[in-house]
């Protein structure tokens, strides 16, 4: 559905109607959905165009002069069209002058260190070791469960060539979630297994 008075919306917004025409249009506007929708669409134009300085428009092409005594409808359409074209020129200029956003930089990700875990069926001891590669060898962080209190534990590290090293000593009087440190000069890819034991013997064996 359309209305012949929608061409008056631009002239109304820019103050081109005389008092009689303005009063008549305002009475019409209250009952016309088409003109109300057009008013909402064009309402931002006067405020945006009011921000233009003479420098903003000095290079715009001149609009050809209208013939003498133009029809009122043509004059209102020209005013609305000129406003739309000027707004498009301003918005287009701002768009091309806006700097392009920088692409997001992905945060570097560090792979989690491998964790070896096992539970010994005979002793009931369960353990795990987080294996952290270092330039000097491997740092180890142990968690052990079901170890009898008051024991003196140690870990023996075996490499793939049959060599061995003591990787650490500790007492078993610690919290279940406490991490126990150890270390070896063997690299992670050289280690065959870890044997955790106390005075009674082997408690649990951890492998890759």
């Amino acid at each position: 559905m359309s209305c012949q008075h929608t061409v008056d919306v631009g002239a109304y917004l820019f103050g081109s109607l005389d008092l009689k025409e303005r009063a008549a249009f305002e009475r019409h506007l209250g009952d016309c959905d088409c003109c109300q929708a057009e008013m909402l669409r064009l309402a931002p134009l006067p405020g945006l165009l009011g921000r233009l300085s003479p420098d903003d428009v000095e290079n715009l092409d001149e609009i050809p002069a209208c013939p003498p005594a133009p029809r009122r409808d043509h004059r209102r359409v020209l005013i609305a069209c000129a406003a739309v074209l000027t707004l498009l020129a301003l918005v287009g200029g701002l768009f091309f002058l806006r700097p392009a956003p920088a692409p997001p930089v992905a945060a570097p990700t560090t792979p989690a260190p491998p964790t070896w875990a096992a539970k010994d069926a005979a002793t009931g001891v369960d353990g795990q070791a987080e294996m952290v590669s270092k330039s000097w060898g491997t740092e180890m962080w142990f968690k052990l469960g079901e170890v009898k209190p008051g024991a003196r534990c140690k870990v023996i590290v075996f490499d793939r060539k049959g060599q061995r090293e003591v990787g650490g000593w500790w007492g078993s009087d610690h919290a279940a979630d406490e991490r126990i440190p150890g270390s070896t000069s063997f690299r992670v890819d050289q280690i065959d297994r870890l044997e955790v034991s106390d005075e009674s013997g082997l408690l649990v064996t951890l492998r890759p």
Side-chain angles (χ1 to χ4, degrees):
M1 181 177 179
S2 60
C3 175
Q4 62 179 355
H5 293 289
T6 54
V7 296
D8 294 331
V9 174
Y12 175 81
L13 289 172
F14 287 95
S16 299
L17 299 178
D18 57 35
L19 293 178
K20 184 178 179 181
E21 292 171 331
R22 186 177 185 86
F25 179 74
E26 287 175 345
R27 288 194 299 270
H28 167 76
L29 184 63
D31 298 321
C32 181
D33 293 339
C34 290
C35 289
Q36 290 175 13
E38 186 71 359
M39 177 74 75
L40 291 175
R41 190 176 70 86
L42 298 180
L45 289 177
L48 291 172
L49 293 176
R51 299 177 190 176
L52 291 174
S53 67
D55 292 336
D56 293 324
V57 297
E58 65 179 357
N59 294 323
L60 293 178
D61 293 335
E62 294 184 358
I63 299 176
C66 296
R71 291 174 56 191
R72 188 175 302 277
D73 287 349
H74 289 173
R75 175 171 61 83
R76 293 172 185 168
V77 173
L78 286 175
I79 291 173
C81 290
V84 173
L85 289 174
T86 306
L87 176 62
L88 290 176
L90 174 62
V91 173
L94 292 176
F95 176 80
F96 286 109
L97 290 175
R98 185 184 304 136
V105 178
T109 57
T110 302
T115 299
W116 302 355
K119 181 173 183 176
D120 191 280
T123 64
V125 173
D126 60 88
Q128 66 179 40
E130 185 179 285
M131 312 294 286
V132 183
S133 294
K134 298 291 183 178
S135 59
W136 43 261
T138 303
E139 183 178 81
M140 300 174 290
W141 291 94
F142 294 90
K143 283 186 179 181
L144 296 173
E146 304 302 326
V147 180
K148 68 180 181 180
R152 188 163 179 258
C153 302
K154 68 177 178 180
V155 58
I156 304 297
V157 184
F158 293 83
D159 75 356
R160 299 182 186 281
K161 297 179 180 179
Q163 303 178 94
R164 66 179 66 186
E165 289 182 356
V166 176
W169 289 87
W170 62 89
S172 63
D173 296 322
H174 56 77
D177 60 348
E178 186 172 354
R179 300 171 77 223
I180 303 164
S183 62
T184 176
S185 65
F186 301 142
R187 297 194 314 270
V188 174
D189 60 355
Q190 294 176 326
I191 299 174
D192 176 69
R193 67 188 185 278
L194 310 174
E195 291 186 356
V196 181
S197 60
D198 66 4
E199 298 93 336
S200 64
L202 181 64
L203 297 176
V204 65
T205 300
L206 306 176
R207 285 188 168 87

